[in-house]
Amino acid sequence: MDHQPHSDLIHPGHVACPGCGAAIAMKFALRAMGPKTMVVIPACCWGVIAGPYPQSSLKVPVLQTAFATAGAAAGGLRAALDMTGDSETVVMAWAGDGGTFDIGLQSLSGAVERNEDILYVCYDNEAYMNTGVQRSSSTPYGARTTTTPGLGWKRSRKKNIVEILAAHRIPYAATASIAFPEDMIRKFEKARHLKGGSRFLHVYATCPTGWAIPSEQSISIARLAVHCNMFPLYEVENGVDYTLNYQGNVEVDSYLKAQGRFRHLNEDEIMRIQTMVDEDWDLLMQKVSR
Amino acid sequence: MKQVLEGSHAVSEAVRLARVQVVSAYPITPQTHIVEAISEHCSSGRLAARFMCVESEHSAMASVIGAASGGVRTFTATSGQGLAYMHELLHWASGARLPIVMAEVNRALAPGWNIWVDQTDSLSQRDTGWIQFYCEDGQEVFDTTLMAYRLAEEINLPIMVILDAFFLSHTYEPVDIPDQELVDRFVPPMEPKIRLDTADPHALGQMVPPGAYMEMRYDIQQAMERVPFLYRQMEGIFAELFGRAYGDVEAVQCDDADIVLVVSGTATGTCRQALSDLRSQGQKVGMLKIKMFRPFPDESIRRALNGAAKIAVVDRNCSFGAGGIFAQEIRSTLCNLENGPPVFSYIAGLGGRDITVDTLEEIYYRTKALEQPDMQSVWIGLEPET
Amino acid sequence: MAGKIEKDREGRLHISRSSISSRINKTGSWRYLKPVYAGRTAPCSAACPAGEDVPHIEHLASQGQFRGALDTILKENPFPAVCGHVCFHPCESACNRSCLDAPLAINAIERFVGCSDTEEKMLPLIQTVPPNGRRVAVIGSGPSGLSAAYFFCRLGYRCDVYESEKEPGGLLRWGIPSYRLPAAILKHEIKRIENLGAQIYCGRKVSASFLRTAEERYHAIFIGCGLARPIRMQIAGDVQALDGLTFLKDIRNGNRGAFSGVSAIIGGGNAAIDVARSLVRLGSHPIILYRRRVEDMPAFELEIGMAQQEGVDIRELTTPVRMDKSARGIALRLQKMATDGFETDSGRARVIPIRGERETLPVQQVFTAIGAEAENPWQQPKNGSGSILHLSHCTLTTVGFPIARGGDLVNQVLSVSDAVASGKQAAMAIDSYFQGGWASVEKRLADCRVGQGPALSLESYLMNDVSHQRHPQLVGYHDINTAYFLPADRAEPMVAGPKERRASFSEYRSDFTTRSAADEAGRCFNCGICNDCDNCRLFCPETAVSVEDTRRIDMDYCKGCGVCVVECPRGAMTMEEAEHETGS
């Protein structure tokens, strides 16, 4: 690791589950972002991890807001900082997949269409984990959740949030993974310095609790997701310039079989998922090679 | 300097002169003229503020909450459906003790779509912890908006300045607009009590367990209870600088009145005329205009109404299953008084239907004719079924 | 309505605003497993008879810290350059990296590190115990004796080494050919031992009477004089056979002699190979005759391969039955053998003669290299007198005072590194005896095992505390997180081709360059040790890992998630059951 660790901007004693990928993600993010950061957190796991009153688990200012409002609140806070002459502090919205893909999509879209000078981070654990593992539009095809249980496992595909953001032609959108810390920290640093417009980072954040995997596998499952192209690592600049950061070459079945939320899938269903991953990969490659 | 302005622009002028710093706007008839005017002020540089064209009212409130948390003076405006859409965030703004000021143009709620005056929208939000002021005319709108900033920043509660759709928002009246310098004396630059600061990092708005939440709620209630006193103080200063004052209520000829009509909004102006007519007919009638609805001005109301024989409340709103809302609140204020007057509840003028002098006279004579009020509110001016 | 709420009425708002950090919440109470920096043993270290701490050596070498690497080797083995030349590297056979791409070239790196020591003083930066006033006599200056002397000196003993030949080194000097181990390399490393205080007396053959009077002058004796009497074939005409070991010694002495024509070498061990390869260089065509199969030959596989490349023929399942003089030299009568499907006790194929299958092989000369035995009875322990302790690489007796016997005397050892182990074990055993008595020796040594043994660590012995014991568990390939390692080719210095090799007695293995040695060392997984890659601290969701002088985990907050253990690339951490140590 080239990256020099410094004193982290996150306190221990927070109540994230053991092995929580979102906690690791925040740690890496703040390493890149530094102390001149304000974090806007809507309802999500981090709303609780940030500390119940009167505790705070972060060493930077935190503004918790209502579920749907991360994009709007972050934009408003940015406006205030601009009006008080603070051009150094970066406003970072930090929302889960529910607050980004579903209930928060409108305010996110509104904020980035206005090209608000914010960094919006979606840490994605692929369900409403804070409320007990209900499905979101980020839950992948094939997964069981408490609202897609048993034979009713999720039959719709995961929404492609980066493509949605790319369609807004924002300066920078990218995926990142906690299993690739150097790549992730590089992207946060890049996003931090790209002031003046909207930056979006989609971070893969393992949830051992919700996905039914042992806590110690948190990083290895994240690595496997990238290796089997379930979660490709790439960047999109201005909505049109695609850069691929990693090419995986492993089949999906080891990824699926390692997780309780997919354990019910039979070989045909796994093959179907492989096909879907391959299709999505082909689409991405077309954009990369443009 | 006196200008002829529509009510919307009385708001926008006040916002400009108060040197608001962040404005969030989402269009909805009939508040749009407010934000359009402010947008022009911003783009021309007359007002040095960030103007955010948000994509919904929910985001309008969310963005001013974000901005106010950054310690700046904020403004937004809405009406009807838009206010209803912001509902959860109205609770948020007061719970976060942010000094946000919002212009709310009273408009009916759909379905059916109705863009005209009705108070149900703002009154539906009476539990959200916002201070509510109902305005009679353009001057009052302007003055109240200025006072709202000073009061909000003193007490850290958000304030709604409420004006009737079209009858006030789109009606041109002479409004005295003072100089910037004078306004600056009344509304100095904001000294925020809440401000996120990287030099002193804290978290705001976190999860609060049962052991701590109630005390925060009590703090809000206590703040509300201080408002009437603070408002009176502040109006004193306002009167010194600008020569005008309104009080939390205005009692007109109540001292010797048998029947007092209770009104708010533009209907007040009509009522002043009705009062004059009825008095000339020998009727001992008085009027109580309610300006401050939240906090509900119990003391002022009791003082004004205790001597009357009957109270007739004119509600331009309805809480279905319970009736006119002003009436309910007045009843509860008066209920523990020994020999308190009976309260007759009337509902009129919903969805922009006019409240005329005749309407008010009808209400007066009806009240006079009855011993006891109905349990339910009486609806005035309904078209007969065919 | 005043209430009991304490508030500053002048503007302090009672809102959801933080005032303390989450540190008051001691989440360490959540865990039921806890991570530990276990320092497990690498399989290479356990396979090394000397118990070298290979992962540390490689880690230092990979960073160009060759002095540090050398010192680390010297903690357990006084002969890095020698072993780098002649060791059969069981470490490489155990190397976990072989499951990913290819084992680490540990031997070549050791050779590089050993030969990089050019300092005049050559005093190693290693721990020695202050002199304890005791004197030890070491008999024989072969690898086991010299090793014993080295470790005795480090343990604070005054050491006198008695060597019968004119120069020290034993088989290192007089047995192994110079193309495998040049004399200068050996001399350099012997000098290091002398600089530690060992006195070597050459030309002093020790007799039985020495033992009788030794007790007056010495507190202990180590006998490592090897097997000086070659074993004869005991067939008709065997007096015409030349002794292989003598032949090798003559060459090392400068008397090469001329050998042309065909030479037959009887035997299958390294000595036989050494004889054969030397004969090739002297112009003869050697044929090795071995009674079992090639795969049963005790010689190192690599050596057998080299020999064959250089033109040495090997005829398996052949044994000599008589030798007759002939016109051109010797007519060697051979008996063909066959396996009978069974194995001997040592695991080699059992062979029986094939009736009627005999032939005569005409050769110029016949060499025997079928082993040797102790020259004098006192070199072997007497049964029945006093206590006797059979350790893996030496025996310890106390008849009045402690005598240890090691090296070839005790084991039919194949390798120099086993001889090193022998000297170390003897020194540690005798020192334990002096410190804690006879009964304490086995336990004390067992506490110093590397892995499950038999290799011992002097480092552990000197530390004498539990925290520095080498962990008994070995790191397996499944403990390695291969996501952190990219396959890479094994680098090895070049070896000259057979034609070039045959031409002289010069060394034929090149050395690493500094860069390539460091690069190859960088392929090491560093199994079981922490090399400060910092993954644990990087990934910990609780930021509970800190580094001051040591790496530690804050048990007030560690939730026992286990991510650190899985992401440790080299199995240096384990999860253990947790008893709750936090105050909460």
Side-chain angles (χ1 to χ4, degrees), chain B residues 42-93:
Chain B
C42 291
S43 87
S44 70
R46 276 195 297 276
L47 172 61
R50 262 292 296 281
F51 189 87
M52 299 174 68
C53 293
V54 290
E55 77 297 336
S56 82
E57 286 91 349
H58 193 273
S59 290
M61 185 50 61
S63 53
V64 296
I65 286 171
S69 306
V72 298
R73 191 169 284 162
T74 57
F75 175 81
T76 190
T78 192
S79 178
Q81 307 298 126
L83 182 68
Y85 191 9
M86 309 180 164
H87 173 73
E88 71 154 338
L89 295 177
L90 297 179
H91 280 287
W92 196 287

Side-chain angles (χ1 to χ4, degrees), chain C residues 49 110 160 181 188 347 398 401 427 472 548 550 554:
Chain C
E110 177 157 283
D160 292 335
L181 181 62
H188 184 84
T398 53
F401 71 146
E548 284 110 48
T550 52
D554 191 341

Side-chain angles (χ1 to χ4, degrees), chain B residues 97 202-203 205-206 218-219 222, chain C residues 1 5 7 14-16 18:
Chain B
R97 303 298 295 276
H202 288 93
Q206 315 154 279
Y218 184 61
D219 203 52
Q222 291 214 291
Chain C
M1 290 281 258
I5 316 301
K7 269 191 340 252
H14 192 46
I15 52 172
S16 172
S18 67

Side-chain angles (χ1 to χ4, degrees), chain C residues 350-377:
Chain C
R350 206 172 71 169
V351 290
I352 50 171
I354 305 174
R355 238 186 189 328
E357 289 284 327
R358 289 197 172 190
E359 67 170 279
T360 303
L361 181 67
V363 300
Q364 252 51 64
Q365 46 271 327
V366 175
F367 294 89
T368 54
I370 53 175
E373 55 197 6
E375 199 170 19
N376 296 302

Side-chain angles (χ1 to χ4, degrees), chain C residues 461-514:
Chain C
Y461 186 82
L462 291 174
M463 295 293 176
N464 197 18
D465 78 80
V466 175
S467 67
H468 285 93
Q469 274 172 18
R470 300 279 203 96
H471 204 285
Q473 270 183 38
L474 297 185
V475 174
Y477 186 63
H478 56 272
D479 294 314
I480 302 297
N481 190 331
T482 55
Y484 293 100
F485 300 100
L486 288 172
D489 290 332
R490 171 181 157 118
E492 247 190 310
M494 291 216 315
V495 173
K499 201 154 159 226
E500 206 186 314
R501 297 202 300 267
R502 289 169 54 112
S504 77
F505 278 83
S506 305
E507 283 195 83
Y508 48 76
R509 284 168 73 183
S510 332
D511 280 309
F512 270 134
T513 59
T514 306

Side-chain angles (χ1 to χ4, degrees), chain A residues 204-226:
Chain A
Y204 182 101
T206 313
C207 177
T209 308
W211 301 358
I213 61 171
S215 59
E216 70 264 17
Q217 297 299 322
S218 190
I219 299 294
S220 37
I221 207 76
R223 188 179 293 122
L224 195 48
V226 174

